[in-house]
Amino acid sequence: MKSLVLHGKGSSPEKVEWLAKPLHQFGEVIIPEFEIEAKEGVQKALTYDFDLIAGHSRGGLVALIAAALKGKSAIAVSAPSDRRKQKEYLSKFPPGTIQRKIYEDIKNLPEEELEWYPLKYADRIKNALLIHGENDDIVLKEHSIILCDEIRKYGGKCQLYIIKGMKHSPLGQHYNEIWKIITEWVKANNYA
């Protein structure tokens, strides 16, 4: 199995090794530098040969859309399902907060960039594993809950796990739980 793993905005391949680690046991894992927005990110992801695509945050958003367009399975951790809803939520935070900085970044994107979001592709997502932090204060867990419901509504398979105590990015104490979830999901879907 060949897996493509995408990091989020302001991150790096090294910082998503926690997401790639359980996939290494099943074959080749590609973790490219991916500091690009959603539209270009999807276009770049589609140039890779992969059986499974995974991503964190914006990387998860790109992974879900690329999986939908390529007919592959996706794993997304803390991914926004609708960037306009994320923007609206983040707009309520005061200046100087990380949430406000992300809001400013999203606000300054071209309008067409906001058209690239997973909910729009829910009818084409065939199989997804969504993992979200219970205490995510950057992308609310409702993004994954709503997306998983939509995927199922259109006949796709979706498993959702809300990780207790986790914020937007997992910490060391969350890794084993995430690795176990991913390993079991990959085996259950006959990728192993």
Side-chain angles (χ1 to χ4, degrees):
M1 176 179 85
K2 193 177 286 187
S3 300
L4 177 62
V5 177
L6 308 176
H7 65 77
K9 182 175 177 68
S11 188
S12 67
E14 299 76 37
K15 290 181 182 173
V16 287
E17 188 52 45
W18 58 265
L19 179 53
K21 183 177 178 174
L23 297 172
H24 285 290
Q25 65 188 308
F26 302 112
E28 182 183 352
V29 179
I30 304 156
I31 316 170
E33 185 61 50
F34 220 78
E35 193 53 53
I36 48 181
E37 278 303 329
K39 179 182 178 184
E40 186 184 346
V42 170
Q43 292 165 346
K44 181 176 178 182
L46 292 173
T47 67
Y48 287 91
D49 177 31
F50 60 83
D51 302 301
L52 172 70
I53 185 167
H56 175 248
S57 195
R58 183 177 66 192
L61 175 149
V62 169
L64 287 159
I65 297 171
L69 295 174
K70 228 175 183 181
K72 302 291 184 176
S73 296
I75 299 171
V77 181
S78 307
S81 62
D82 183 332
R83 294 186 92 187
R84 286 186 178 96
K85 285 189 170 143
Q86 182 192 21
K87 181 174 108 173
E88 180 187 328
Y89 164 71
L90 295 172
S91 72
K92 297 173 181 144
F93 285 85
T97 60
I98 185 70
Q99 291 89 347
R100 189 63 182 211
K101 182 184 179 316
I102 297 167
Y103 163 73
E104 295 294 337
D105 288 346
I106 295 172
K107 185 180 83 167
N108 292 327
L109 291 173
E111 189 60 28
E112 76 162 319
E113 185 63 39
L114 299 181
E115 289 298 317
W116 291 82
Y117 60 93
L119 263 178
K120 192 173 179 179
Y121 295 85
D123 62 332
R124 297 173 69 182
I125 297 172
K126 299 301 174 215
N127 193 11
L129 169 62
L130 305 181
I131 300 171
H132 219 107
E134 176 187 49
N135 302 327
D136 193 334
D137 57 358
I138 306 257
V139 178
L140 295 174
K141 66 185 176 202
E142 284 71 22
H143 281 263
S144 288
I145 294 167
I146 290 166
L147 179 59
C148 207
D149 287 344
E150 282 294 297
I151 292 168
R152 289 178 188 142
K153 182 174 101 178
Y154 289 107
K157 289 170 38 182
C158 184
Q159 279 191 269
L160 170 64
Y161 292 88
I162 305 292
I163 307 293
K164 190 175 168 88
M166 187 175 112
K167 290 193 172 196
H168 187 61
S169 295
L171 299 174
Q173 68 255 32
H174 305 120
Y175 291 170
N176 283 334
E177 184 176 359
I178 290 170
W179 295 340
K180 184 175 184 236
I181 289 166
I182 291 172
T183 299
E184 288 175 2
W185 183 83
V186 170
K187 286 179 178 175
N189 284 279
N190 299 313
Y191 286 113

